[in-house]
Amino acid sequence: MSVAATAPRRRRRPPRAATGSPLLLGHGRIPRVLAGAALAVLAAVWLVPFVWAVATSLQSEQDVSTPGLSPLKGALTLGSYEQILERGNVVLWAFNSFLIAGLVTLLTVGISTLAAYGFARGTFRGRKVLLAVTVAAIMVPPQLLVVPLFRQMLLFDLVDTYAAVILPQVVAPMMVFILKRFFDAIPRELEDAARIDGASELRVFTSIVLPLSRPVVAAVAIFVFIGAWNNFMWPFIVTNDPDLMTLPVGLATVKDAFGIQYAQSMASALLAALPLIAVFLLFQRRIVDSVATTGLGGS
Amino acid sequence: MTTTAPIGAGVPAGTPSPGADSPGTPGRIRRTRPGNGLLFVLPFLTVFALFLVWPVVHGLWMSFTDTSLALRDTSFVGFDNYTEAFGDPDVWSSLGNTALFTALSSVPLVLVALAMALLVHSGLAGQWVWRLAFFAPYLLPVTVVTLIWTWLYQPDLGLGNQLLGRLGLEPVGWLADEAVAMWSVTAVTVWWTVGFNFLLYLAALQSLPTTYDEAAALDGAGAWRRLWSVTLPQLRRTTVLVAMLQVLASLKVFDQIYILTKGGPNGSTRPVLEYVYDVGFTGYRLGYASAVSYLFFALVIIVSIAQLRFFRKEG
């Protein structure tokens, strides 16, 4: 295979996401300049809070408290970050967040993919009714569950445990529905071949269906992880022990205690923001695509 | 795991399998009849029943009782909680705040997201920078968002009032002034969550066929004309979806308002879900809190149905 044979084919299909539709603006100069300006202004408005927060976090508390429009009023310092890391609880909360969001993602994806496959291919009695109930449950706002769930945790004596934070988050009817729709679309002939060869259903699922569904499973995993990482209300209600708190909850509770120290507040906010921003930078394309894949976008 | 019920690969057609739906396809290998699949669904059904169905039912029962945070001494009170809720001015004012927030936030959250997506999609350089700028806030935990904005809204040193000062204007009590607080909270929400709608629009734009656009361009339609007559009509379905999801999301607001203002000043930003929280967890009246949340849920269902009917008629 010569390089010449493959190169032109590549050039013919540029990734559309990268170029967008030049037709939207035409080739005139004025619309392009206007659109560019509008985009720049919007982006600036959206970035200013970040810039302001970063600048503040790099100042001493003293410099922060002198008025002035310039975000940098004194010498740059990493002092706030050092103090936060020394105190240690932000690190502990980050660990809790990772552990909890990771376990929630693992359990949710495991349970939901299995269930979706069972709903898509199963023949057990009551399948349709159970599926209908699952779909209907998508409508139930999680906030409705908070009061009875809390009482349930009291009953099971689970308040202030990881289990109490994790378990209720593992129920994701929406994800089951998305996955089921995807599995429905996989041609059964692919699986039948394996079945004829005597593969068990579990085997068919893990070695044929799952690999084919990697994009949608990744999308579901990303959404579940972001959701669990950012979840506030439930962990806030079910944890009182500072050692068990997640980042969002921990930061909210110290905000009241340390609220006046803006440099430290901003530093801890940015430390808490970093992991997900990093995830986004790594998986940008996948996240954008997943919105389309999961059927939320487009049709 | 040998638990995966009989598969019957290669079993002749017609062999009864539980719930098989195709007795009548002789000659062919039976339409796929994987075991019966119940075991696959079982783990989900277990957590679903425990942590969703039970709380929904239990909460409904609680709403007819005087349940408190203590686990004993609960008695049935019939519709008392519901009649009390109807006469409770705090329920009405917090419902009003929720409605106001939904109205204020939904419109910009749809329109700004659309503008962002159209601009980013229009082929200007630097795609990933714009995408990151608009989507990044959505990735932040609510506490981080509120920390940053509490600082921007800080009365003396915050960016907001310092900018106003520069322009020779009076400082504003962003979160302290009853007339302003709801707008401030809305601005935070738009900044924080517009990225998700933006992504929905961007994904939709990227999947549109370009043929209509090209045809219109050949016919000499200008950029504006094509935007109005070709692109926007093609985005109709997405707009309906985004608008519906947004209204439902806005109705459920709690986190950012709770952390930013605790519902203040003077209850002017307290949404109904915060009232539920206050009554249940600060006032210890779980029964009454449940009744209010079920009333609210009924309202959400009514709004969803109304939206569905409205958009269906439109379409």
Side-chain angles (χ1 to χ4, degrees):
Chain A
M1 260 291 208
S2 71
V3 183
T6 53
R9 197 181 308 153
R10 274 203 173 167
R11 210 173 300 143
R12 217 175 300 150
R13 287 207 307 154
R16 236 199 290 157
T19 51
S21 162
L23 283 167
L24 213 55
L25 288 179
H27 298 284
R29 270 196 82 148
I30 296 168
R32 294 190 76 82
V33 171
L34 282 179
L39 195 53
V41 169
L42 265 178
V45 170
W46 253 256
L47 286 174
V48 157
F50 280 111
V51 175
W52 190 257
V54 171
T56 305
S57 74
L58 293 171
Q59 304 279 286
S60 69
E61 293 293 348
Q62 254 181 336
D63 287 329
V64 167
S65 54
T66 33
L69 242 196
S70 158
L72 292 178
K73 293 148 197 156
L76 294 179
T77 164
L78 286 173
S80 303
Y81 289 91
E82 279 165 17
Q83 279 158 6
I84 287 166
L85 293 177
E86 255 166 43
R87 218 166 37 229
N89 42 15
V90 170
V91 182
L92 178 66
W93 295 330
F95 170 79
N96 284 341
S97 278
F98 263 112
L99 187 75
I100 288 168
L103 284 173
V104 167
T105 308
L106 215 65
L107 287 169
T108 309
V109 170
I111 291 173
S112 306
T113 47
L114 276 175
Y117 184 67
F119 279 132
R121 295 290 194 268
T123 53
F124 57 92
R125 191 170 294 182
R127 187 174 58 103
K128 287 198 173 128
V129 176
L130 287 173
L131 184 64
V133 173
T134 304
V135 172
I138 293 173
M139 291 272 295
V140 176
Q143 292 87 344
L144 186 71
L145 306 174
V146 161
V147 172
L149 266 181
F150 183 76
R151 198 149 180 275
Q152 191 176 343
M153 294 302 150
L154 281 177
L155 209 66
F156 295 165
D157 204 15
L158 284 177
V159 172
D160 264 331
T161 63
Y162 284 125
V165 184
I166 292 170
L167 287 175
Q169 296 195 64
V170 164
V171 188
M174 182 71 183
M175 299 302 156
V176 173
F177 179 65
I178 287 171
L179 289 162
K180 188 217 168 240
R181 278 209 333 193
F182 193 87
F183 294 161
D184 279 339
I186 296 176
R188 295 178 179 221
E189 286 73 18
L190 290 172
E191 300 155 36
D192 283 341
R195 287 197 186 102
I196 290 165
D197 289 343
S200 72
E201 271 313 304
L202 193 65
R203 188 70 204 275
V204 171
F205 172 66
T206 52
S207 51
I208 296 181
V209 176
L210 269 190
L212 282 173
S213 320
R214 214 175 283 151
V216 72
V217 173
V220 165
I222 289 170
F223 280 126
V224 171
F225 187 88
I226 294 178
W229 180 272
N230 290 346
N231 195 356
F232 175 75
M233 197 182 194
W234 178 244
F236 169 69
I237 284 172
V238 87
T239 52
N240 295 309
D241 179 353
D243 288 348
L244 288 173
M245 286 178 178
T246 58
L247 261 180
V249 179
L251 287 179
T253 48
V254 291
K255 191 197 120 186
D256 295 327
F258 295 94
I260 305 142
Q261 291 170 301
Y262 284 105
Q264 280 193 34
S265 296
M266 291 306 108
S268 50
L270 291 166
L271 281 179
L274 270 182
L276 279 200
I277 302 280
V279 167
F280 181 73
L281 283 175
L282 281 173
F283 297 110
Q284 258 220 83
R285 197 48 159 283
R286 174 134 275 171
I287 291 175
V288 179
D289 288 348
S290 66
V291 172
T293 326
T294 49
L296 278 169
S299 52
Chain B
M1 236 180 140
T2 48
T3 46
T4 340
I7 315 261
V11 175
T15 306
S17 75
D21 44 1
S22 57
T25 40
R28 289 189 54 196
I29 300 173
R30 272 184 298 128
R31 256 207 269 154
T32 28
R33 36 40 304 196
N36 69 16
L38 185 59
L39 285 169
F40 285 79
V41 186
L42 219 51
F44 172 75
L45 288 181
T46 311
V47 288
F48 182 72
L50 263 178
F51 301 116
L52 205 145
V53 178
W54 186 18
V56 165
V57 176
H58 185 63
L60 188 60
W61 175 78
M62 273 165 65
S63 73
F64 294 105
T65 69
D66 61 359
T67 308
S68 68
L69 256 189
L71 287 173
R72 54 192 84 225
D73 296 336
T74 296
S75 58
F76 192 79
V77 297
F79 281 94
D80 283 6
N81 287 327
Y82 289 93
T83 37
E84 185 184 343
F86 274 109
D88 183 347
D90 286 339
V91 168
W92 292 107
S93 75
S94 61
L95 273 176
N97 289 334
T98 297
L100 177 63
F101 175 84
T102 305
L104 286 182
S105 62
S106 296
V107 175
L109 276 169
V110 175
L111 294 184
V112 174
L114 173 62
M116 284 172 165
L118 284 171
L119 287 169
V120 170
H121 188 64
S122 64
L124 294 160
Q127 281 267 321
W128 74 269
V129 181
W130 312 122
R131 241 172 14 206
L132 181 64
F134 298 143
F135 191 66
Y138 183 74
L139 292 168
L140 302 183
V142 61
T143 325
V144 171
V145 172
T146 50
L147 276 176
I148 292 177
W149 283 83
T150 311
W151 174 222
L152 295 175
Y153 285 152
Q154 208 278 344
D156 308 311
L157 302 163
L159 180 62
N161 276 348
Q162 296 213 33
L163 273 177
L164 288 181
R166 213 30 93 78
L167 297 170
L169 299 168
E170 287 295 302
V172 168
W174 299 101
L175 298 171
D177 184 338
E178 277 182 46
V180 181
M182 187 59 97
W183 294 89
S184 306
V185 166
T186 306
V188 175
T189 308
V190 172
W191 180 82
W192 179 29
T193 59
V194 77
F196 184 71
N197 293 349
F198 157 73
L199 270 200
L200 288 181
Y201 269 123
L202 195 62
L205 277 169
Q206 286 174 4
S207 62
L208 289 186
T210 54
T211 37
Y212 300 107
D213 217 19
E214 280 157 13
L218 280 180
D219 288 344
W224 279 117
R225 189 61 212 265
R226 273 179 288 118
L227 178 67
W228 273 117
S229 316
V230 182
T231 310
L232 289 184
Q234 283 179 302
L235 288 176
R236 239 199 76 84
R237 292 177 64 110
T238 309
T239 303
V240 168
L241 179 86
V242 170
M244 289 184 61
L245 289 178
Q246 187 55 58
V247 167
L248 292 181
S250 288
L251 282 174
K252 295 180 199 160
V253 66
F254 168 77
D255 297 356
Q256 66 268 42
I257 294 187
Y258 178 76
I259 308 179
L260 277 171
T261 66
K262 292 265 188 314
N266 209 1
S268 62
T269 58
R270 178 164 71 175
V272 67
L273 284 175
E274 192 187 324
Y275 185 58
V276 169
Y277 172 81
D278 287 346
V279 170
F281 293 95
T282 322
Y284 304 122
R285 296 187 61 199
L286 292 186
Y288 186 56
S290 293
V292 177
S293 46
Y294 273 80
L295 278 180
F296 175 64
F297 183 40
L299 193 79
V300 169
I301 291 178
I302 292 170
V303 170
S304 327
I305 293 172
Q307 284 196 103
L308 268 177
R309 302 192 75 167
F310 172 77
F311 284 118
R312 200 166 286 161
K313 212 173 277 174
E314 280 254 300

